[in-house]
Amino acid sequence: MPDARVHRSACEVDVPAPAGVLYGLIADATVWPLFFSPCLHVEQLDFDGTRERLRMWALAGDRVSSWVSHRHLDVAAHRVRFRQELPSPPIESMSGTWSVHPAGEESRVRLEHAFTVTGDDPAHAAWAQQVTRANSRAQLDGLARLAQRWTHLDDLTLTFEDTVRITAPAELVLDFLYRAGDWPRELAYTRPVSVLEEIPGIQTLALDGHAATGTRAVRISFPGAGRLVHKYLHPRTPLAAYTGEWSLDPHPAGVDVSVRHNVLLSDDATGPDTARRVQDELSRTARHVLEHATRHASGAVRAL
């Protein structure tokens, strides 16, 4: 049987930022969900300073795909090579390279992919080529937007956390957070209109659009670790991007429930007042959800 045909894709962009800055954004994949629209979540599995393994979740068209990526980071050459371990079907193999090259006052970023598809099917190859190019373009465009504001990027990013101690079993609290479609009417601005779970543990939420966090979200559950991560798509101004995580830390009297917020503000939303307003709104919403989680878990305990 002949070897499967290797399909290739390459995109590049010139951006007004130093090569070292751009390489840093590419090398730290844990920040990609906040900065790159197709990327939903990244877990670093291993890292020795040069080589790493990442578990990644991303949108591939309308699908949520997940894979483990092996990466080799070359800081001197401003290059990152990657290879997917067990890619999501119909992709059978996927590898590629990020490279950054100084070009006068700008830098040129090039993203290359090489892949094969199951059975060398032309329809699968066409789909994979389309998704690969679309995601590559989205990542490079996102990188270009970041580069235009790299000198004040720290002023546009917020990370904060809220924690509440609940006197109830962690399993009951996590059950409430996970079943967002069953949240009470009092959480109307937070409760999704619908929850789709085609892959166990991965939920796509549709929201009514009243909340600033967006009209669609993807949530990924790690029940064994007591974690539930989320990314909201198409958020409204002043949010340019929003990701977060619910995490549970059991203790003898119950559980500490924390929600971590990661926010990228829009360009026209700078200033301490805007940042404080966003933080207050997101914290207030999270506390409201936790109040109902507390009632649900406490009521279930009393019933038992």
Side-chain angles (χ1 to χ4, degrees), residues 34-35 146 149 152-158 160 236-242 262-279 282:
L34 193 62
F35 291 153
L146 291 173
R149 44 190 170 168
H152 60 285
L153 192 56
D154 287 345
D155 297 328
L156 295 173
T157 54
L158 304 174
F160 55 97
R236 296 191 325 214
T237 302
L239 276 63
Y242 173 51
N262 306 303
V263 176
L264 176 65
L265 295 172
S266 304
D267 281 336
D268 55 356
T270 57
D273 290 342
T274 300
R276 186 163 47 249
R277 196 163 56 248
V278 167
Q279 181 168 344
L282 293 176

Side-chain angles (χ1 to χ4, degrees), residues 111-285:
L111 177 54
E112 302 172 77
H113 289 85
F115 63 89
T116 61
V117 296
T118 305
D120 225 6
D121 185 283
H124 289 164
W127 176 85
Q129 184 74 256
Q130 178 184 2
V131 168
T132 299
R133 289 192 64 83
N135 281 6
S136 296
R137 193 73 265 163
Q139 287 181 292
L140 290 175
D141 289 348
L143 199 61
R145 286 192 297 271
L146 291 173
Q148 293 171 1
R149 44 190 170 168
W150 73 270
T151 57
H152 60 285
L153 192 56
D154 287 345
D155 297 328
L156 295 173
T157 54
L158 304 174
T159 297
F160 55 97
E161 192 170 285
D162 297 295
T163 302
V164 171
R165 176 162 290 187
I166 298 177
T167 308
E171 293 81 3
L172 294 176
V173 178
L174 185 61
D175 176 68
F176 176 85
L177 295 175
Y178 185 77
R179 293 189 297 105
D182 296 332
W183 286 355
R185 292 181 179 179
E186 291 84 350
L187 293 174
Y189 291 125
T190 309
R191 184 182 64 180
V193 175
S194 65
V195 178
L196 179 64
E197 189 170 353
E198 295 180 333
I199 302 172
I202 299 179
Q203 300 174 326
T204 300
L205 280 57
L207 299 103
D208 63 10
H210 290 294
T213 46
T215 57
R216 186 181 174 214
V218 175
R219 305 200 310 173
I220 304 166
S221 176
F222 302 90
R227 299 171 56 219
L228 186 62
V229 302
H230 57 256
K231 176 170 180 173
Y232 282 78
L233 311 178
H234 316 300
R236 296 191 325 214
T237 302
L239 276 63
Y242 173 51
T243 69
E245 176 179 336
W246 297 93
S247 60
L248 284 71
D249 182 19
H251 62 84
V255 60
D256 287 334
V257 186
S258 299
V259 55
R260 181 180 178 90
H261 309 271
N262 306 303
V263 176
L264 176 65
L265 295 172
S266 304
D267 281 336
D268 55 356
T270 57
D273 290 342
T274 300
R276 186 163 47 249
R277 196 163 56 248
V278 167
Q279 181 168 344
D280 288 346
E281 180 179 353
L282 293 176
S283 292
R284 185 169 56 251
T285 300

